[in-house]
Amino acid sequence: MTNAQQKIETPFNEEFCTQLEYRICQELEKSTDPELKGFWCDGVSWFPTENQLTKKNVNDKRRIETKAWIGKTGQTEFKATVHFGKKAS
């Protein structure tokens, strides 16, 4: 297996997703969009498919697709995409 195929140590983990959840809540609270009034985030999954956490995927795609639970009850499941910058790896 080459280095590009190996799973890399990832900062995309439970701690990162918890911080992302709190940040989403803060941004929703500040929103002036009346349709988002009362929305909050109840979590972001830190379990993307395994191939998304390879060095090759991070370099090539520059994103991880996962899910987040957002809404007035915090239970509506949404597709969430985390985009990485050029220096992500």
Side-chain angles (χ1 to χ4, degrees), residues 11-22 46:
F12 188 85
N13 56 26
E14 182 178 7
E15 181 180 344
F16 173 83
C17 289
T18 298
Q19 292 299 315
L20 181 57
E21 170 190 347
Y22 291 127
W46 60 90

Side-chain angles (χ1 to χ4, degrees), residues 15-75:
E15 181 180 344
F16 173 83
C17 289
T18 298
Q19 292 299 315
L20 181 57
E21 170 190 347
Y22 291 127
R23 180 60 186 257
I24 291 169
C25 286
Q26 290 172 346
E27 295 302 318
L28 286 168
E29 190 175 308
K30 292 189 307 189
S31 175
T32 58
D33 186 335
E35 291 187 28
L36 297 178
K37 185 172 177 67
F39 275 42
W40 61 286
C41 180
D42 192 28
V44 176
S45 175
W46 60 90
F47 296 114
T49 59
E50 282 219 17
N51 67 337
Q52 291 188 81
L53 299 179
T54 63
K55 184 175 182 178
K56 178 170 178 32
N57 187 73
V58 170
N59 284 333
D60 293 352
K61 304 272 184 171
R62 303 232 177 266
R63 72 177 181 266
I64 289 178
E65 294 177 357
T66 190
K67 37 185 161 172
W69 292 269
I70 300 173
K72 290 195 176 193
T73 65
Q75 298 304 304

